[in-house]
Amino acid sequence: MTVRTLRNASDLVEAGLIAPERAAALERVAAQYAVAITPAMAELIDAADPGDPIARQFTPDVAELDILPVESDDPVGDFAHSPVEGVVHRYPDRALLKVNHACAVYCRFCFRREMVGPEGLRPLSPAALDAAMAYIAERPAIWEVIVTGGDPFILSPRRLREVMRRLGAIDHVKVVRFHTRVPAVAPEAVTDELVAALKAPGKAVYVALHANHAREMTPQARAACAKIVDAGIPMLGQTVLLAGVNDDPETLSALMRALVETRIKPYYLHHADLAPGTSHLRTSIAEGQALMRAMRGTVSGLCQPTYVLDIPGGHGKVPVGPDYLSEGYVEDPAGRSHAYWPSARDETD
Ligand code: SF4
């Protein structure tokens, strides 16, 4: 059993997750993009399965050195929308607060892979955190703050408490949303102290869990999430659509059901961003739409996320279908067309 986070190719060889002859090539990948596989995730990997969906998310692959011209170091335009260090302000009523840039695991498809990791951006200094908080405090239109990173749940409860104390003092911030993988990838880190640190009087706090495969929702992960939900903090699910990980209807439906069973409402299914060296993990949008169609009508409405694309360059996130309505027709979940009048009110007046 692995007892510590695996951080380089020799760790992976030692844990039996890669063959020794792959180590040199993967070390080149690890030099470019950070590697971390927590004990909980290492345990889940079936090393005998070359297509293991957990390994595919976290084990480096030489395909990552193949960077396409359309790929970008900043695919969703964080830098273009960052007025002060640590803040991304893309939409009027909400802002991202990126307090740290380290994570418990490093996902091979991460859209911020050039920013996260030990070689990535440094955590916010006390002065930079002051400036970020001042930026939020000075803009009454900011209704929601999304604390992300990196992964904010690897901060100590003391630091999280401090972040919440400061956000709690800003009247116009009504909602604080944390984005994290920790409850699934390092469930032991979700302590009572951490959960208590997320709360601030008068603020609605949400936790969005990033999970991509039902196997990540282990009994330990479910218990960690139950601790959060039982504390009165609703949870949302966000999933990245990934080739060879969750791009078939059964796998995706199983994940959505596992989330809902854990009292996590699936929120977004993200089309994989154009992050460098990730083309082997991306599907086409048409494949994503076909998956969404396959789930509609066969899986409970509670289990349906919105399939979204973050428009490259930072132009925002939009739903990308599928679309069931066309002029004069609507399609049912089985794919049959029915006549319908988009402005049916005119027809019945
Ligand atoms: S946990 Fe999130 S920020 Fe960190 S590497 Fe994975 S996707 Fe990127």
Side-chain angles (χ1 to χ4, degrees):
M1 182 183 139
T2 313
V3 291
R4 63 181 173 87
T5 294
L6 311 173
R7 297 197 179 272
N8 52 46
S10 39
D11 285 352
L12 297 177
V13 173
E14 209 177 301
L17 296 185
I18 61 165
E21 55 274 19
R22 284 180 69 201
L26 297 191
E27 211 53 85
R28 280 184 16 244
V29 181
Q32 183 90 8
Y33 303 113
V35 172
I37 308 181
T38 53
M41 289 300 100
E43 195 114 309
L44 277 188
I45 293 175
D46 175 0
D49 175 3
D52 181 81
I54 309 299
R56 210 164 152 71
Q57 294 183 64
F58 303 120
T59 307
D61 188 315
V62 283
E64 292 172 51
L65 299 175
D66 184 12
I67 296 171
L68 304 187
V70 290
E71 294 176 338
S72 154
D73 287 357
D74 182 18
V76 304
D78 275 1
F79 285 124
H81 291 88
S82 182
V84 294
E85 189 187 347
V87 173
V88 178
H89 195 188
R90 213 183 312 267
Y91 307 98
D93 76 337
R94 54 208 186 275
L96 302 187
L97 176 62
K98 302 200 285 184
V99 272
N100 64 324
H101 294 92
C103 302
V105 284
Y106 290 109
C107 311
R108 308 324 298 166
F109 50 86
C110 177
F111 67 124
R112 295 201 174 109
R113 60 189 333 207
E114 294 287 346
M115 306 172 202
V116 299
E119 305 298 326
L121 303 178
R122 302 262 62 91
L124 286 194
S125 65
L129 185 61
D130 286 349
M133 290 291 181
Y135 179 89
I136 295 167
E138 285 158 11
R139 282 164 183 79
I142 299 179
W143 170 82
E144 179 185 26
V145 172
I146 299 158
V147 186
T148 182
D151 194 319
F153 273 29
I154 68 165
L155 295 175
S156 66
R158 183 187 60 78
R159 286 199 60 204
L160 283 171
R161 220 173 9 253
E162 175 62 8
V163 168
M164 284 308 289
R165 185 190 65 74
R166 299 182 69 164
L167 291 175
I170 304 175
D171 273 353
H172 57 264
V173 172
K174 305 294 185 197
V175 178
V176 180
R177 189 191 338 154
F178 288 88
H179 278 212
T180 180
R181 287 209 85 166
V182 163
V185 302
E188 69 287 351
V190 182
T191 59
D192 293 341
E193 203 190 351
L194 181 139
V195 175
L198 304 178
K199 298 185 131 190
K203 305 298 176 200
V205 178
Y206 289 75
V207 170
L209 173 73
H210 170 181
N212 301 323
H213 195 281
R215 270 171 50 204
E216 291 165 45
M217 300 308 292
T218 59
Q220 294 79 5
R222 291 178 190 231
C225 295
K227 215 177 252 188
I228 296 169
V229 179
D230 287 346
I233 300 173
M235 289 189 73
L236 305 166
Q238 54 169 3
T239 294
V240 182
L241 178 58
L242 294 167
V245 173
N246 54 22
D247 61 339
D248 68 86
E250 293 72 32
T251 304
L252 203 54
S253 304
L255 168 63
M256 298 305 155
R257 285 188 168 131
L259 291 172
V260 172
E261 288 163 15
T262 312
R263 293 179 285 166
I264 300 172
K265 170 70 189 94
Y267 176 42
Y268 281 150
L269 174 66
H270 295 270
H271 188 72
D273 293 306
L274 294 171
T278 59
S279 58
H280 59 298
L281 292 166
R282 267 196 306 278
T283 65
S284 67
I285 292 209
E287 287 165 324
Q289 291 172 329
L291 284 165
M292 291 297 293
R293 270 182 194 280
M295 283 203 299
R296 174 72 55 189
T298 56
V299 182
S300 160
L302 262 185
C303 298
Q304 308 282 340
T306 304
Y307 180 36
V308 290
L309 171 73
D310 233 313
I311 303 173
H315 303 289
K317 215 180 260 101
V318 286
V320 284
D323 197 356
Y324 292 88
L325 202 56
S326 57
E327 194 56 43
Y329 289 95
V330 63
E331 206 179 309
D332 69 22
R336 294 175 296 241
S337 268
H338 304 272
Y340 190 74
W341 303 270
S343 48
R345 209 159 57 111
D346 300 342
E347 307 294 326
T348 53
D349 274 352

